[in-house]
Tab-separated table of all heavy atoms in Angstrom:
chain	number	residue	atom	x	y	z
I	1	VAL	N	0.847	-1.186	0.000
I	1	VAL	CA	0.000	0.000	0.000
I	1	VAL	C	0.885	1.238	0.000
I	1	VAL	O	1.858	1.322	0.765
I	1	VAL	CB	-0.929	0.039	1.235
I	1	VAL	CG1	-1.846	1.266	1.169
I	1	VAL	CG2	-1.762	-1.228	1.342
I	2	VAL	N	0.556	2.207	-0.857
I	2	VAL	CA	1.249	3.495	-0.854
I	2	VAL	C	0.229	4.604	-0.626
I	2	VAL	O	-0.916	4.519	-1.080
I	2	VAL	CB	2.016	3.764	-2.172
I	2	VAL	CG1	3.216	2.868	-2.291
I	2	VAL	CG2	1.115	3.632	-3.377
I	3	LYS	N	0.652	5.598	0.096
I	3	LYS	CA	-0.180	6.785	0.311
I	3	LYS	C	-0.046	7.687	-0.897
I	3	LYS	O	1.041	8.134	-1.243
I	3	LYS	CB	0.265	7.499	1.586
I	3	LYS	CG	-0.586	8.697	1.964
I	3	LYS	CD	-0.085	9.312	3.255
I	3	LYS	CE	-0.942	10.502	3.682
I	3	LYS	NZ	-0.431	11.103	4.947
I	4	ASN	N	-1.147	7.969	-1.547
I	4	ASN	CA	-1.136	8.743	-2.780
I	4	ASN	C	-0.611	10.152	-2.526
I	4	ASN	O	-1.013	10.808	-1.569
I	4	ASN	CB	-2.553	8.805	-3.359
I	4	ASN	CG	-2.558	9.240	-4.807
I	4	ASN	OD1	-1.518	9.296	-5.457
I	4	ASN	ND2	-3.739	9.548	-5.323
I	5	GLY	N	0.297	10.614	-3.377
I	5	GLY	CA	0.862	11.951	-3.214
I	5	GLY	C	2.162	12.082	-3.978
I	5	GLY	O	2.576	11.179	-4.722
I	6	GLU	N	2.826	13.213	-3.795
I	6	GLU	CA	4.048	13.496	-4.543
I	6	GLU	C	5.167	12.531	-4.192
I	6	GLU	O	5.932	12.102	-5.056
I	6	GLU	CB	4.490	14.942	-4.289
I	6	GLU	CG	3.514	15.980	-4.797
I	6	GLU	CD	3.216	15.823	-6.284
I	6	GLU	OE1	4.179	15.618	-7.054
I	6	GLU	OE2	2.037	15.899	-6.658
I	7	TRP	N	5.292	12.167	-2.918
I	7	TRP	CA	6.350	11.230	-2.552
I	7	TRP	C	6.124	9.879	-3.210
I	7	TRP	O	7.079	9.244	-3.692
I	7	TRP	CB	6.428	11.048	-1.039
I	7	TRP	CG	7.580	10.161	-0.647
I	7	TRP	CD1	8.862	10.538	-0.392
I	7	TRP	CD2	7.556	8.725	-0.528
I	7	TRP	NE1	9.643	9.440	-0.116
I	7	TRP	CE2	8.870	8.312	-0.189
I	7	TRP	CE3	6.568	7.760	-0.675
I	7	TRP	CZ2	9.210	6.975	0.005
I	7	TRP	CZ3	6.900	6.423	-0.485
I	7	TRP	CH2	8.207	6.039	-0.146
I	8	ALA	N	4.886	9.411	-3.244
I	8	ALA	CA	4.582	8.117	-3.854
I	8	ALA	C	4.935	8.114	-5.338
I	8	ALA	O	5.458	7.125	-5.862
I	8	ALA	CB	3.107	7.774	-3.660
I	9	LYS	N	4.667	9.228	-6.011
I	9	LYS	CA	5.018	9.321	-7.435
I	9	LYS	C	6.537	9.223	-7.612
I	9	LYS	O	7.025	8.502	-8.489
I	9	LYS	CB	4.492	10.628	-8.022
I	9	LYS	CG	2.974	10.717	-8.070
I	9	LYS	CD	2.516	12.099	-8.508
I	9	LYS	CE	1.009	12.216	-8.445
I	9	LYS	NZ	0.549	13.593	-8.780
I	10	PHE	N	7.253	9.967	-6.781
I	10	PHE	CA	8.721	9.905	-6.833
I	10	PHE	C	9.212	8.483	-6.577
I	10	PHE	O	10.096	7.972	-7.281
I	10	PHE	CB	9.300	10.873	-5.787
I	10	PHE	CG	10.633	10.455	-5.234
I	10	PHE	CD1	11.788	10.616	-5.973
I	10	PHE	CD2	10.735	9.891	-3.960
I	10	PHE	CE1	13.022	10.219	-5.469
I	10	PHE	CE2	11.952	9.500	-3.449
I	10	PHE	CZ	13.099	9.663	-4.204
I	11	PHE	N	8.645	7.831	-5.588
I	11	PHE	CA	9.081	6.493	-5.216
I	11	PHE	C	8.835	5.479	-6.335
I	11	PHE	O	9.729	4.711	-6.709
I	11	PHE	CB	8.352	6.062	-3.942
I	11	PHE	CG	8.429	4.581	-3.666
I	11	PHE	CD1	9.649	3.949	-3.519
I	11	PHE	CD2	7.268	3.818	-3.569
I	11	PHE	CE1	9.725	2.576	-3.274
I	11	PHE	CE2	7.336	2.462	-3.324
I	11	PHE	CZ	8.561	1.832	-3.178
I	12	ILE	N	7.635	5.463	-6.880
I	12	ILE	CA	7.306	4.497	-7.939
I	12	ILE	C	8.159	4.745	-9.177
I	12	ILE	O	8.661	3.798	-9.804
I	12	ILE	CB	5.809	4.573	-8.294
I	12	ILE	CG1	4.952	4.119	-7.097
I	12	ILE	CG2	5.503	3.721	-9.519
I	12	ILE	CD1	5.159	2.673	-6.687
I	13	GLU	N	8.369	6.003	-9.519
I	13	GLU	CA	9.195	6.310	-10.690
I	13	GLU	C	10.658	5.936	-10.457
I	13	GLU	O	11.356	5.515	-11.387
I	13	GLU	CB	9.051	7.796	-11.038
I	13	GLU	CG	7.676	8.125	-11.604
I	13	GLU	CD	7.399	9.618	-11.677
I	13	GLU	OE1	8.320	10.412	-11.366
I	13	GLU	OE2	6.268	9.993	-12.045
I	14	THR	N	11.126	6.073	-9.233
I	14	THR	CA	12.487	5.648	-8.901
I	14	THR	C	12.608	4.131	-9.006
I	14	THR	O	13.570	3.609	-9.588
I	14	THR	CB	12.854	6.097	-7.475
I	14	THR	OG1	12.788	7.523	-7.399
I	14	THR	CG2	14.254	5.630	-7.103
I	15	TRP	N	11.645	3.433	-8.455
I	15	TRP	CA	11.648	1.963	-8.476
I	15	TRP	C	11.602	1.440	-9.915
I	15	TRP	O	12.247	0.443	-10.237
I	15	TRP	CB	10.436	1.485	-7.689
I	15	TRP	CG	10.353	0.022	-7.380
I	15	TRP	CD1	11.237	-0.963	-7.741
I	15	TRP	CD2	9.318	-0.639	-6.645
I	15	TRP	NE1	10.809	-2.186	-7.282
I	15	TRP	CE2	9.634	-2.008	-6.601
I	15	TRP	CE3	8.149	-0.186	-6.021
I	15	TRP	CZ2	8.808	-2.944	-5.964
I	15	TRP	CZ3	7.346	-1.101	-5.382
I	15	TRP	CH2	7.668	-2.478	-5.350
I	16	PHE	N	10.893	2.130	-10.780
I	16	PHE	CA	10.718	1.686	-12.170
I	16	PHE	C	11.815	2.213	-13.094
I	16	PHE	O	11.754	2.010	-14.307
I	16	PHE	CB	9.344	2.132	-12.680
I	16	PHE	CG	8.933	1.519	-13.985
I	16	PHE	CD1	8.760	0.152	-14.119
I	16	PHE	CD2	8.715	2.325	-15.101
I	16	PHE	CE1	8.383	-0.413	-15.328
I	16	PHE	CE2	8.334	1.770	-16.317
I	16	PHE	CZ	8.162	0.400	-16.429
I	17	ASP	N	12.804	2.839	-12.543
I	17	ASP	CA	13.868	3.434	-13.363
I	17	ASP	C	14.476	2.383	-14.295
I	17	ASP	O	14.738	1.248	-13.882
I	17	ASP	CB	14.954	4.005	-12.453
I	17	ASP	CG	15.920	4.895	-13.210
I	17	ASP	OD1	16.705	4.368	-14.026
I	17	ASP	OD2	15.883	6.117	-12.988
I	18	PRO	N	14.722	2.746	-15.563
I	18	PRO	CA	15.283	1.781	-16.529
I	18	PRO	C	16.587	1.135	-16.075
I	18	PRO	O	16.870	-0.010	-16.428
I	18	PRO	CB	15.500	2.627	-17.792
I	18	PRO	CG	14.523	3.744	-17.671
I	18	PRO	CD	14.403	4.033	-16.207
I	19	ILE	N	17.372	1.864	-15.284
I	19	ILE	CA	18.652	1.293	-14.862
I	19	ILE	C	18.442	0.061	-13.985
I	19	ILE	O	19.199	-0.910	-14.061
I	19	ILE	CB	19.515	2.351	-14.138
I	19	ILE	CG1	20.952	1.838	-14.002
I	19	ILE	CG2	18.935	2.691	-12.771
I	19	ILE	CD1	21.923	2.889	-13.540
I	20	TYR	N	17.397	0.061	-13.161
I	20	TYR	CA	17.127	-1.101	-12.310
I	20	TYR	C	16.563	-2.259	-13.132
I	20	TYR	O	16.866	-3.416	-12.874
I	20	TYR	CB	16.176	-0.730	-11.180
I	20	TYR	CG	16.747	0.297	-10.235
I	20	TYR	CD1	16.072	1.478	-9.958
I	20	TYR	CD2	17.982	0.092	-9.624
I	20	TYR	CE1	16.613	2.433	-9.106
I	20	TYR	CE2	18.523	1.032	-8.770
I	20	TYR	CZ	17.838	2.202	-8.523
I	20	TYR	OH	18.377	3.137	-7.681
I	21	ARG	N	15.757	-1.923	-14.117
I	21	ARG	CA	15.228	-2.985	-14.988
I	21	ARG	C	16.343	-3.632	-15.803
I	21	ARG	O	16.243	-4.800	-16.189
I	21	ARG	CB	14.153	-2.409	-15.926
I	21	ARG	CG	12.805	-2.203	-15.258
I	21	ARG	CD	11.811	-1.603	-16.214
I	21	ARG	NE	11.969	-0.167	-16.334
I	21	ARG	CZ	11.638	0.534	-17.408
I	21	ARG	NH1	11.168	-0.070	-18.472
I	21	ARG	NH2	11.789	1.851	-17.430
I	22	SER	N	17.406	-2.883	-16.063
I	22	SER	CA	18.511	-3.423	-16.868
I	22	SER	C	19.461	-4.293	-16.054
I	22	SER	O	20.325	-4.963	-16.613
I	22	SER	CB	19.300	-2.277	-17.506
I	22	SER	OG	20.027	-1.549	-16.514
I	23	TYR	N	19.314	-4.292	-14.723
I	23	TYR	CA	20.231	-5.057	-13.880
I	23	TYR	C	19.963	-6.566	-13.919
I	23	TYR	O	20.783	-7.351	-13.435
I	23	TYR	CB	20.120	-4.584	-12.427
I	23	TYR	CG	20.852	-3.295	-12.128
I	23	TYR	CD1	20.740	-2.692	-10.879
I	23	TYR	CD2	21.655	-2.683	-13.080
I	23	TYR	CE1	21.406	-1.502	-10.585
I	23	TYR	CE2	22.315	-1.510	-12.797
I	23	TYR	CZ	22.191	-0.921	-11.557
I	23	TYR	OH	22.839	0.251	-11.275
I	24	ASN	N	18.807	-6.962	-14.421
I	24	ASN	CA	18.452	-8.391	-14.487
I	24	ASN	C	18.519	-9.059	-13.111
I	24	ASN	O	19.115	-10.127	-12.942
I	24	ASN	CB	19.353	-9.133	-15.479
I	24	ASN	CG	19.133	-8.681	-16.907
I	24	ASN	OD1	18.007	-8.447	-17.320
I	24	ASN	ND2	20.212	-8.547	-17.661
I	25	PHE	N	17.914	-8.426	-12.132
I	25	PHE	CA	17.833	-9.032	-10.811
I	25	PHE	C	17.132	-10.386	-10.905
I	25	PHE	O	16.212	-10.576	-11.698
I	25	PHE	CB	17.039	-8.132	-9.858
I	25	PHE	CG	17.744	-6.864	-9.473
I	25	PHE	CD1	17.273	-5.629	-9.916
I	25	PHE	CD2	18.862	-6.889	-8.648
I	25	PHE	CE1	17.902	-4.457	-9.541
I	25	PHE	CE2	19.494	-5.719	-8.270
I	25	PHE	CZ	19.021	-4.498	-8.719
I	26	GLN	N	17.542	-11.305	-10.058
I	26	GLN	CA	16.962	-12.645	-10.094
I	26	GLN	C	15.451	-12.618	-9.889
I	26	GLN	O	14.700	-13.334	-10.550
I	26	GLN	CB	17.608	-13.533	-9.024
I	26	GLN	CG	17.097	-14.971	-9.043
I	26	GLN	CD	17.734	-15.820	-7.963
I	26	GLN	OE1	18.516	-15.327	-7.145
I	26	GLN	NE2	17.419	-17.098	-7.950
I	27	LYS	N	14.992	-11.772	-8.949
I	27	LYS	CA	13.556	-11.659	-8.694
I	27	LYS	C	13.023	-10.303	-9.131
I	27	LYS	O	12.113	-9.736	-8.527
I	27	LYS	CB	13.252	-11.908	-7.217
I	27	LYS	CG	13.484	-13.362	-6.804
I	27	LYS	CD	12.948	-13.639	-5.414
I	27	LYS	CE	13.100	-15.116	-5.058
I	27	LYS	NZ	12.542	-15.428	-3.722
I	28	ALA	N	13.578	-9.822	-10.224
I	28	ALA	CA	13.087	-8.626	-10.902
I	28	ALA	C	12.829	-7.462	-9.946
I	28	ALA	O	13.714	-7.042	-9.203
I	28	ALA	CB	11.839	-8.976	-11.715
I	29	GLU	N	11.583	-6.947	-9.963
I	29	GLU	CA	11.273	-5.743	-9.190
I	29	GLU	C	11.394	-5.964	-7.683
I	29	GLU	O	11.636	-5.014	-6.930
I	29	GLU	CB	9.869	-5.228	-9.543
I	29	GLU	CG	8.693	-5.936	-8.903
I	29	GLU	CD	8.453	-7.337	-9.438
I	29	GLU	OE1	9.038	-7.698	-10.472
I	29	GLU	OE2	7.675	-8.071	-8.812
I	30	GLN	N	11.270	-7.177	-7.226
I	30	GLN	CA	11.392	-7.450	-5.789
I	30	GLN	C	12.815	-7.198	-5.307
I	30	GLN	O	13.038	-6.517	-4.299
I	30	GLN	CB	10.980	-8.886	-5.479
I	30	GLN	CG	11.068	-9.251	-4.006
I	30	GLN	CD	10.530	-10.649	-3.721
I	30	GLN	OE1	9.567	-11.086	-4.322
I	30	GLN	NE2	11.182	-11.356	-2.806
I	31	HIS	N	13.799	-7.725	-6.029
I	31	HIS	CA	15.191	-7.491	-5.649
I	31	HIS	C	15.597	-6.043	-5.909
I	31	HIS	O	16.434	-5.485	-5.184
I	31	HIS	CB	16.108	-8.445	-6.405
I	31	HIS	CG	16.127	-9.826	-5.821
I	31	HIS	ND1	16.787	-10.886	-6.401
I	31	HIS	CD2	15.564	-10.319	-4.688
I	31	HIS	CE1	16.628	-11.978	-5.654
I	31	HIS	NE2	15.896	-11.647	-4.612
I	32	ALA	N	14.991	-5.410	-6.928
I	32	ALA	CA	15.261	-3.994	-7.173
I	32	ALA	C	14.801	-3.166	-5.977
I	32	ALA	O	15.486	-2.229	-5.553
I	32	ALA	CB	14.545	-3.532	-8.441
I	33	LEU	N	13.664	-3.519	-5.422
I	33	LEU	CA	13.149	-2.807	-4.251
I	33	LEU	C	14.093	-2.960	-3.065
I	33	LEU	O	14.378	-1.989	-2.354
I	33	LEU	CB	11.762	-3.329	-3.893
I	33	LEU	CG	11.122	-2.728	-2.636
I	33	LEU	CD1	10.937	-1.226	-2.802
I	33	LEU	CD2	9.787	-3.418	-2.338
I	34	GLU	N	14.585	-4.159	-2.845
I	34	GLU	CA	15.516	-4.377	-1.743
I	34	GLU	C	16.776	-3.531	-1.916
I	34	GLU	O	17.312	-2.978	-0.947
I	34	GLU	CB	15.862	-5.858	-1.643
I	34	GLU	CG	14.681	-6.727	-1.210
I	34	GLU	CD	15.011	-8.213	-1.180
I	34	GLU	OE1	16.122	-8.581	-1.647
I	34	GLU	OE2	14.180	-9.004	-0.694
I	35	HIS	N	17.234	-3.432	-3.156
I	35	HIS	CA	18.413	-2.602	-3.441
I	35	HIS	C	18.123	-1.135	-3.135
I	35	HIS	O	18.914	-0.461	-2.456
I	35	HIS	CB	18.795	-2.766	-4.917
I	35	HIS	CG	19.862	-1.823	-5.375
I	35	HIS	ND1	21.212	-2.094	-5.222
I	35	HIS	CD2	19.791	-0.601	-5.965
I	35	HIS	CE1	21.915	-1.077	-5.704
I	35	HIS	NE2	21.068	-0.156	-6.162
I	36	ILE	N	16.993	-0.632	-3.598
I	36	ILE	CA	16.649	0.779	-3.413
I	36	ILE	C	16.506	1.122	-1.936
I	36	ILE	O	17.023	2.138	-1.458
I	36	ILE	CB	15.338	1.099	-4.159
I	36	ILE	CG1	15.538	0.987	-5.676
I	36	ILE	CG2	14.833	2.492	-3.812
I	36	ILE	CD1	14.249	1.028	-6.454
I	37	VAL	N	15.795	0.279	-1.218
I	37	VAL	CA	15.528	0.548	0.193
I	37	VAL	C	16.826	0.607	1.002
I	37	VAL	O	16.979	1.439	1.910
I	37	VAL	CB	14.574	-0.517	0.766
I	37	VAL	CG1	14.515	-0.446	2.284
I	37	VAL	CG2	13.179	-0.350	0.181
I	38	GLN	N	17.774	-0.249	0.660
I	38	GLN	CA	19.029	-0.292	1.415
I	38	GLN	C	19.981	0.847	1.062
I	38	GLN	O	20.836	1.205	1.881
I	38	GLN	CB	19.724	-1.643	1.184
I	38	GLN	CG	18.958	-2.812	1.784
I	38	GLN	CD	19.722	-4.116	1.643
I	38	GLN	OE1	20.482	-4.518	2.507
I	38	GLN	NE2	19.500	-4.788	0.524
I	39	TRP	N	19.824	1.426	-0.133
I	39	TRP	CA	20.759	2.456	-0.566
I	39	TRP	C	20.161	3.863	-0.560
I	39	TRP	O	20.889	4.834	-0.806
I	39	TRP	CB	21.297	2.124	-1.964
I	39	TRP	CG	22.285	1.004	-1.941
I	39	TRP	CD1	22.044	-0.319	-2.140
I	39	TRP	CD2	23.682	1.102	-1.676
I	39	TRP	NE1	23.194	-1.055	-2.015
I	39	TRP	CE2	24.231	-0.203	-1.732
I	39	TRP	CE3	24.536	2.172	-1.393
I	39	TRP	CZ2	25.575	-0.460	-1.516
I	39	TRP	CZ3	25.887	1.909	-1.178
I	39	TRP	CH2	26.391	0.591	-1.242
I	40	HIS	N	18.872	3.977	-0.327
I	40	HIS	CA	18.230	5.294	-0.367
I	40	HIS	C	17.470	5.548	0.933
I	40	HIS	O	16.324	5.139	1.081
I	40	HIS	CB	17.277	5.391	-1.564
I	40	HIS	CG	17.972	5.317	-2.888
I	40	HIS	ND1	18.523	6.419	-3.501
I	40	HIS	CD2	18.228	4.264	-3.695
I	40	HIS	CE1	19.077	6.059	-4.643
I	40	HIS	NE2	18.917	4.751	-4.782
I	41	PRO	N	18.077	6.222	1.890
I	41	PRO	CA	17.414	6.479	3.174
I	41	PRO	C	16.133	7.289	3.037
I	41	PRO	O	15.254	7.219	3.891
I	41	PRO	CB	18.459	7.243	3.979
I	41	PRO	CG	19.673	7.355	3.163
I	41	PRO	CD	19.455	6.725	1.844
I	42	THR	N	16.017	8.104	1.962
I	42	THR	CA	14.793	8.880	1.775
I	42	THR	C	13.590	7.972	1.550
I	42	THR	O	12.450	8.356	1.832
I	42	THR	CB	14.927	9.824	0.564
I	42	THR	OG1	15.331	9.078	-0.588
I	42	THR	CG2	15.936	10.913	0.843
I	43	ILE	N	13.840	6.765	1.037
I	43	ILE	CA	12.758	5.798	0.842
I	43	ILE	C	12.565	4.962	2.101
I	43	ILE	O	11.431	4.727	2.539
I	43	ILE	CB	13.042	4.921	-0.389
I	43	ILE	CG1	12.948	5.787	-1.658
I	43	ILE	CG2	12.089	3.724	-0.464
I	43	ILE	CD1	13.317	5.092	-2.933
I	44	LEU	N	13.656	4.542	2.708
I	44	LEU	CA	13.553	3.774	3.950
I	44	LEU	C	12.840	4.587	5.029
I	44	LEU	O	12.125	4.023	5.866
I	44	LEU	CB	14.953	3.375	4.425
I	44	LEU	CG	15.037	2.477	5.664
I	44	LEU	CD1	14.325	1.150	5.423
I	44	LEU	CD2	16.488	2.243	6.058
């Protein structure tokens, strides 16, 4: 669940960034999320 607003838009667009899709994570968007959360305190 995400709270609708400007932060949510920023977050979803960051998560969907082409660079993460190009990494070929084993579990696709799930592993991309784990990467983002650990490296971006603004999201954590």
Side-chain angles (χ1 to χ4, degrees):
V1 182
V2 289
K3 184 179 181 180
N4 196 12
E6 296 304 315
W7 184 88
K9 294 173 185 176
F10 151 76
F11 164 58
I12 294 297
E13 290 168 5
T14 299
W15 190 359
F16 191 62
D17 193 290
I19 193 169
Y20 297 125
R21 282 178 279 153
S22 70
Y23 281 174
N24 294 320
F25 290 112
Q26 183 181 4
K27 291 190 176 182
E29 79 289 347
Q30 180 175 323
H31 281 174
L33 177 61
E34 292 177 352
H35 172 85
I36 293 169
V37 168
Q38 293 185 92
W39 286 94
H40 295 275
T42 53
I43 292 175
L44 184 61

